[in-house]
Amino acid sequence: MAGPLQHLRVIELAGVLPGAMTAMLLADHGAEVIKVEPVGGDVFAHDLTRKGWDRGKASVEIDLASDAEALRALLKTADVLIHGLPANEAASLGLDEASLSRDFPALVSCSLTGYSTDTPYSDRPYGESLAAAKLGVMVDRGSSFRDGPMYLGHPALHYGQAFLATINVLSALRARRSIGEGQGTEASLLDAFLAQSPMNHWWQEDGMSYIKKGDSGAVDRFGYVRLVTGVFECGDGKFLQIHTGSGGFKPAFDILGFGDRIKAVNGPEMAFPLSEDEYQAARVDIFDAFKAKPRDEWIPLFHAADVASLPVLEPGEILLDEQVEFANMRIAMPDPDYGTIYQAAPAARFSVSACDTPKPAPAIGADNARLAELQAAPQRTAGPKRRDIARPLEGVRIVDFSSFFAVGFGGRLLNDLGADVIKIETPTGDQMRPLPDVFDAANRGKRDVVLDLKTPEGLEAAKRLVATADIVTHNLRPGKADKLGIGYEALKAIKPDLVYLYLPGYGSAGPKSLLKAFAPLVSGWVGLLYEVGGDGNLPNRAAFGNEDYNNGFLAAVTAIMALENRDERGFGEYVECPQLHSSLWTTSEHFLDANMKPVYGLRSDKEQQGFNALDRIYRTTNGWVCICCRQDDRFAALASATDMPQDLRLASDAERRAADDAIKAYLDQWFAGQTSEDAFGKLDAAGAPAEIVCEETWVDESLWFDWMVETNRVLESRDSMYGHIRELGLFNRLSRTPGLARDDGPRLGEHTRDLLTEAGYSDSEIDALIASGVAIQATDLTGRIQSNVTA
């Protein structure tokens, strides 16, 4: 397939779903992916999710136990190996990192694990639901319909792990061009969870935070912060979401009919706490107000007032939206079961290195007859070593004109991997600065310069910085960058090989392109809240995972893709990756059938306890236990541990799926007679993967674990601009060129003098720019800044 990665060959070993997702993301953007499957496929090969996650690939069946050499012959021709093998199995097959480095020195490998090999949980069994249970994710967003933990319902940890794996692989390929050899990388479910947590989870000595502790989806989670975002039922029984960020708070309440109770503020709204009556309006009375009109009346009113608002839809419905059609983001695929299905197109749009429409997912073993041909491709060899580097993106410079979270978070990920990320702010600063935990989560470790781009002198200074950059990023509304003089054509004239990465909400053009975009509105729009809500239920009020993180992940992925393409083909280009596109990709398990009706690839049950009887949480006498036992060996262990009757001890996954209700009923009864500790003990002793569901906020406790600090997953700063803080650090693991998380968020204009000096300005010229207000240098680089934000 054509695309920025068309020169790469990837081998995907079946086994865990994020392997399929990672390989899909690479295949969508041009890589040749060969999926190596066991004979007949694994348990996931027959799921509906294959139609999305395995598209664009070749499939060959290889019995690794008897014919490992067939795989090794493929590895000689590959750039990348993605696998989810347990460490002992990988070693027995010669697929551990040491063996791969010896036998295939050019190969980049990525091991997909549950908890990473450098943590105390490394020996626990793999499973998204198991990790969610063990790490307290099931209480991070609560159910709208019952008390207690909630099965995730959306594979957010799997998608997060796939994003991290893709970033790892592409970063290691970038490093290979310098060090001349491949390396091992690791992406874990634990790190995928941590990577989707920094916005809401940090520690500050006075308890400073924009959000209350506990359920991050609670209706009053923002407390007295001047912000409303949530799900609201309208007069017709349909649901919408609004977000009042960027000046939308007072206008939203004017529309709702009690704007007289909301004071107008001068400055960033979220810096002004709510009064008691404003709290009553924003957290209580607002729900009844929405029932006065149907959804189709409310949304145009909010849009006319420039308040972010979107409908809450079922998965797949978004593919019928006018913006999706305008952007050609809906593609038709021939399908053996449905005749035709409709899916989302590849997420990133490259202006020159455009991606082909993917081919449908292959049948299991569809390319068996081509195995010898595939093995005969040219072998990859280690290249010459050009230089030593400590981190994989060392030498890459990014100039970021964005505000708010998503784009900044992508830059933070790249910064941890060695890129020099320069944040250019206006004199009034990023509108997210009043939210200290959110701002730091997106901008930790960067350098910051303040320039007034509306002045010729400020624009010239920005252009001098761009002339030194490899990548420019921003999320300004369509047309604004050109108006400011920082559009693609203007900056390309300065730096012809520039990668210009634009990450708007909906796209650079189209019927919704000028609307505001805030998380989690797009997530609800693409179907996450119905997906999490469970079969037959109304949408849940919140879901774990949203477009801010996902678009940040995809920004990092796309930036490194574009660099890899530039290194291979010699040119930079304009690349576009809207939040809408990243949200479509992270719901690619769903599709439309030939009649344009939604088909769920995965769906939680009505009780919000699981996808099926064997991947589910069960209530015990004193809590909950999670099991993840679809595979034959896991099911056999479960059946033994629970004394399952013989008529339910079915030999195949297909038979077990047909008997799902009966198995669920038996296990409901068995667990109901056990304490969580007794049930877990019996299951664990039998080798049946299970975990007791943690009903505490594990991630907040983890900020104080020594091993989290030692592995660079947690950073501590005693002299940040917010005082003493602890926050989440590094999420990516590479063996030869590891990342390094360091430093807290920059003060407004903290590095202005240094960066202008690097851009060629003299001291006197810098003094003049500061004196005229064109540039701002932070005068106090130590001590705490004033902040009264608290939920």
Side-chain angles (χ1 to χ4, degrees):
M1 284 175 52
L5 304 181
Q6 64 184 25
H7 57 288
L8 298 176
R9 173 176 275 197
V10 178
I11 305 300
E12 175 209 333
L13 280 183
V16 297
L17 292 176
M21 295 171 172
T22 304
M24 173 203 177
L25 188 53
L26 297 170
D28 269 2
H29 296 92
E32 178 192 13
V33 175
I34 302 170
K35 186 178 182 74
V36 176
E37 310 195 62
V39 176
D42 61 23
V43 293
F44 306 115
H46 306 280
D47 293 350
L48 288 176
T49 55
R50 183 182 181 94
K51 297 180 186 297
W53 294 339
D54 283 334
R55 71 187 191 187
K57 303 174 185 177
S59 168
V60 295
E61 294 170 291
I62 296 177
D63 182 351
L64 296 181
S66 63
D67 194 12
E69 286 305 311
L71 172 63
R72 296 177 69 81
L74 284 175
L75 292 179
K76 292 177 182 178
T77 72
D79 298 285
V80 176
L81 167 66
I82 302 164
H83 74 84
L85 298 171
N88 59 342
E89 186 176 349
S92 70
L93 293 168
L95 300 178
D96 56 295
E97 185 185 347
S99 299
L100 290 173
S101 178
R102 179 194 65 220
D103 299 338
F104 312 102
L107 187 70
V108 168
S109 66
C110 185
S111 172
L112 299 167
T113 63
Y115 303 96
S116 195
T117 54
D118 61 349
T119 76
Y121 311 140
S122 61
D123 62 342
R124 296 305 303 156
Y126 184 94
E128 180 186 44
S129 55
L130 299 177
K134 186 172 184 63
L135 303 177
V137 192
M138 292 181 177
V139 297
D140 193 82
R141 304 287 194 282
S143 169
S144 298
F145 314 116
R146 62 166 177 80
D147 293 331
M150 181 181 72
Y151 188 90
L152 294 191
H154 171 70
L157 296 188
H158 276 164
Y159 276 115
Q161 187 175 24
F163 275 128
L164 293 182
T166 309
I167 294 168
N168 287 354
V169 163
L170 293 170
S171 297
L173 289 169
R174 170 80 183 177
R176 187 175 71 172
R177 293 181 180 274
S178 293
I179 65 176
E181 57 187 354
Q183 61 183 300
T185 75
E186 183 179 17
S188 70
L189 291 168
L190 182 149
D191 285 319
F193 169 48
L194 296 177
Q196 295 176 79
S197 299
M199 188 190 302
N200 295 346
H201 299 282
W202 82 335
W203 175 87
Q204 191 272 343
E205 58 186 322
D206 299 323
M208 185 189 299
S209 178
Y210 84 109
I211 192 169
K212 292 182 178 180
K213 296 297 183 185
D215 182 353
S216 298
V219 295
D220 67 339
R221 62 194 182 279
F222 297 119
Y224 288 86
V225 174
R226 192 170 294 269
L227 173 68
V228 168
T229 179
V231 181
F232 300 96
E233 184 177 4
C234 302
D236 56 358
K238 296 180 179 180
F239 294 82
L240 61 74
Q241 288 182 290
I242 66 168
H243 192 296
T244 63
S246 191
F249 194 84
K250 180 71 164 63
F253 284 93
D254 288 339
I255 292 167
L256 288 166
F258 40 100
D260 57 320
R261 296 168 61 184
I262 306 298
K263 69 179 180 182
V265 297
N266 184 23
E269 285 183 330
M270 290 181 284
F272 296 87
L274 298 175
S275 68
E276 291 298 330
D277 187 54
E278 288 175 323
Y279 179 95
Q280 176 70 22
R283 308 292 180 238
V284 180
D285 300 341
I286 190 172
F287 291 94
D288 285 337
F290 269 100
K291 294 181 179 178
K293 288 183 174 67
R295 182 173 72 186
D296 288 348
E297 289 186 25
W298 281 123
I299 290 178
L301 292 173
F302 287 119
H303 288 174
D306 201 24
V307 177
S309 178
L310 287 172
V312 175
L313 303 180
E314 290 205 49
E317 285 188 276
I318 183 64
L319 293 173
L320 301 174
D321 186 83
E322 58 184 354
Q323 182 66 34
V324 172
E325 292 195 10
F326 178 89
N328 294 315
M329 279 297 292
R330 185 181 71 228
I331 55 177
M333 310 274 274
D335 184 82
D337 302 312
Y338 294 88
T340 300
I341 62 173
Y342 298 91
Q343 299 178 330
R349 291 294 174 86
F350 287 75
S351 60
V352 180
S353 311
C355 302
D356 287 339
T357 298
K359 295 179 181 179
I364 300 164
D367 298 278
N368 285 348
R370 295 180 54 227
L371 179 57
E373 171 195 338
L374 295 170
Q375 292 169 330
Q379 295 188 12
R380 272 34 174 193
T381 56
K385 179 178 179 180
R386 293 184 170 88
R387 60 180 181 134
D388 288 316
I389 56 173
R391 292 193 281 171
L393 301 186
E394 197 171 293
V396 173
R397 174 170 280 192
I398 300 169
V399 171
D400 178 24
F401 292 96
S402 75
S403 58
F404 296 105
F405 188 85
V407 185
F409 181 64
R412 167 250 172 98
L413 296 171
L414 298 174
N415 176 81
D416 285 351
L417 293 170
D420 176 20
V421 182
I422 298 169
K423 182 175 178 64
I424 296 184
E425 295 191 70
T426 64
T428 55
D430 189 326
Q431 295 181 65
M432 200 168 59
R433 276 192 176 271
L435 308 181
D437 31 3
V438 184
F439 181 82
D440 236 57
N443 294 292
R444 177 190 51 67
K446 300 176 185 176
R447 298 197 289 168
D448 190 274
V449 57
V450 173
L451 297 170
D452 186 350
L453 300 181
K454 295 180 180 179
T455 66
E457 298 85 357
L459 179 59
E460 171 60 24
K463 287 182 174 180
R464 287 205 202 179
L465 289 171
V466 168
T468 71
D470 298 283
I471 301 172
V472 161
T473 58
H474 77 84
N475 61 350
L476 299 167
R477 287 202 196 182
K480 189 171 182 180
D482 288 322
K483 185 176 180 180
L484 286 171
I486 57 170
Y488 175 58
E489 293 301 330
L491 299 189
K492 180 184 176 183
I494 300 167
K495 188 75 182 300
D497 66 347
L498 183 70
V499 171
Y500 189 97
L501 181 53
Y502 181 37
L503 297 114
Y506 307 96
S508 56
K512 287 185 169 66
S513 61
L514 295 177
L515 296 179
K516 283 181 178 175
F518 286 108
L521 273 62
V522 177
S523 294
W525 190 36
V526 301
L528 256 65
L529 301 183
Y530 272 103
E531 185 179 10
V532 169
D535 191 12
N537 292 333
L538 296 174
N540 205 65
R541 65 174 182 261
F544 183 80
N546 68 47
E547 64 268 30
D548 266 350
Y549 289 117
N550 292 334
N551 205 230
F553 287 136
L554 197 58
V557 166
T558 306
I560 316 173
M561 278 186 189
L563 289 178
E564 175 67 18
N565 185 57
R566 187 181 74 172
D567 288 342
E568 185 69 19
R569 301 168 73 181
F571 55 81
E573 59 189 300
Y574 172 91
V575 187
E576 188 169 313
C577 188
Q579 282 191 332
L580 170 58
H581 295 195
S582 60
S583 297
L584 287 169
W585 188 77
T586 51
T587 51
S588 53
E589 65 270 29
H590 311 300
F591 55 90
L592 298 177
D593 66 15
N595 297 314
M596 298 286 190
K597 300 298 183 184
V599 178
Y600 282 74
L602 293 168
R603 194 166 199 187
S604 183
D605 58 26
K606 188 173 182 62
E607 298 77 24
Q608 297 178 302
Q609 289 179 229
F611 289 137
N612 52 66
L614 301 179
D615 198 331
R616 193 169 187 264
I617 58 173
Y618 288 90
R619 191 186 293 271
T620 65
T621 60
N622 64 338
W624 300 78
V625 170
C626 179
I627 62 170
C628 182
C629 295
R630 275 191 68 186
Q631 292 89 337
D632 291 348
D633 58 338
R634 290 183 170 202
F635 176 73
L638 172 71
S640 175
T642 60
D643 296 319
M644 192 175 289
Q646 288 299 321
D647 63 324
L648 294 180
R649 298 194 184 200
L650 302 167
S652 71
D653 180 62
E655 292 174 302
R656 296 191 288 269
R657 280 186 280 132
D660 193 74
D661 288 343
I663 295 173
K664 187 185 300 182
Y666 176 79
L667 292 175
D668 273 333
Q669 183 179 24
W670 187 85
F671 279 100
Q674 308 278 330
T675 66
S676 295
E677 295 74 17
D678 286 346
F680 172 76
K682 293 174 183 178
L683 293 166
D684 202 46
E691 298 290 355
I692 296 173
V693 178
C694 174
E695 297 189 57
E696 304 294 331
T697 310
W698 177 92
V699 66
D700 288 336
E701 296 176 7
S702 78
L703 294 169
W704 298 93
F705 295 165
D706 289 343
W707 65 264
M708 287 280 285
V709 176
E710 292 163 1
T711 58
N712 201 214
R713 289 179 171 88
V714 166
L715 302 180
E716 180 177 34
S717 174
R718 294 182 177 273
D719 56 357
S720 81
M721 57 183 163
Y722 311 113
H724 187 189
I725 62 172
R726 283 191 173 219
E727 58 187 328
L728 294 170
L730 183 68
F731 311 126
N732 296 91
R733 309 286 147 185
L734 287 78
S735 62
R736 286 193 171 91
T737 57
L740 177 64
R742 59 186 180 190
D743 301 330
D744 44 80
R747 298 164 190 263
L748 184 65
E750 180 173 345
H751 308 97
T752 295
R753 280 193 176 275
D754 292 342
L755 287 167
L756 290 178
T757 298
E758 290 179 22
Y761 286 90
S762 67
D763 288 345
S764 60
E765 289 173 323
I766 296 172
D767 290 340
L769 290 172
I770 293 173
S772 65
V774 170
I776 295 176
Q777 166 65 44
T779 55
D780 188 355
L781 300 181
T782 60
R784 287 181 58 170
I785 63 172
Q786 183 177 0
S787 177
N788 59 357
V789 171
T790 178

